[in-house]
Amino acid sequence: MLKVILISLLALVFVFLGARSCGLTPEQIEERILLAEMNAEEGLAYRSENERRPGVVVWDNGLQVEVLREGQGTVPDEDDWVQVHYRGWHLDGREFENSWRRNEPATVPIERTIAGWREALVSTPVGTRLRLVVPPELAYGRAGGGRIGPEETLIFELELLAIVMPDPPREIEEWERPVPGLR
């Protein structure tokens, strides 16, 4: 517990320093710190409760994995590109992303995904569907990002559809080339 408190305090210092460097007002900094504290507490409580659900496996790093459907395909490596369908939501149930709703799977290099996805994907056969509860240190951490708050635990449903080859780099057209001396 002492370790969690120390990590939380350290995280708050980084949030404070990061916010100051972005030109936030003291009130905005205080709100951001409070939000980080609340997210960390809510996330810890949620993960503690979720780990007791049947079928949930907690990895050493805190990632919680539930296999919804086991696939039989190949397991990708960290340097592979994969095609996935996924849904991501906050602990309060608000959805922030859903590739199924867009009816368009994402094609991503595994090495550029958040750590929680990366670790799950490199041990998952194609065709598998997972439910992940990702602690902040394996997601967007102290900084958050976009619609993700600081120190936020996230929930994902993730389906590994295929291992794919990335699109080859295309030839740059003449009109796209920079003009020498200009930027």
Side-chain angles (χ1 to χ4, degrees):
M1 185 64 168
L2 180 60
K3 183 178 177 182
V4 171
I5 292 170
L6 290 174
I7 291 172
S8 294
L9 287 174
L10 186 59
L12 294 175
V13 168
F14 281 112
V15 168
F16 178 80
L17 294 175
R20 287 298 289 173
S21 69
C22 294
L24 298 176
T25 67
E27 293 80 19
Q28 290 170 321
I29 293 170
E30 191 173 314
E31 288 173 7
R32 189 84 176 160
I33 290 171
L34 181 60
L35 179 59
E37 288 175 351
M38 288 173 33
N39 285 343
E41 288 175 20
E42 288 174 3
L44 184 60
Y46 182 89
R47 293 189 314 273
S48 294
E49 184 70 27
N50 188 65
E51 72 184 21
R52 293 192 283 267
R53 289 184 44 239
V56 173
V57 177
V58 181
W59 293 6
D60 290 342
N61 61 9
L63 180 65
Q64 296 181 359
V65 180
E66 180 180 0
V67 176
L68 304 175
R69 184 183 68 233
E70 183 74 36
Q72 301 300 316
T74 306
V75 175
D77 293 321
E78 192 166 319
D79 59 343
D80 284 331
W81 284 62
V82 293
Q83 188 176 61
V84 296
H85 259 308
Y86 68 99
R87 174 181 176 230
W89 62 99
H90 304 276
L91 295 182
D92 64 6
R94 289 176 299 125
E95 187 175 273
F96 57 84
E97 188 65 56
N98 189 332
S99 68
W100 282 288
R101 182 175 296 155
R102 287 192 319 268
N103 200 28
E104 183 180 334
T107 300
V108 296
I110 291 177
E111 66 188 1
R112 291 192 200 153
T113 63
I114 62 172
W117 274 37
R118 203 167 36 248
E119 295 199 20
L121 286 169
V122 298
S123 60
T124 300
V126 170
T128 300
R129 192 167 184 161
L130 304 170
R131 181 175 184 266
L132 304 175
V133 176
V134 184
E137 57 274 11
L138 299 176
Y140 295 90
R142 294 181 285 276
R147 294 175 274 178
I148 310 301
E151 293 295 323
E152 193 167 356
T153 293
L154 301 173
I155 305 168
F156 291 96
E157 191 168 318
L158 178 65
E159 182 176 10
L160 179 54
L161 302 171
I163 300 171
V164 297
M165 295 297 296
D167 291 334
R170 66 176 181 81
E171 188 73 29
I172 296 176
E173 300 287 331
E174 184 62 37
W175 64 271
E176 295 176 299
R177 295 185 192 282
V179 177
L182 294 178
R183 286 197 162 211

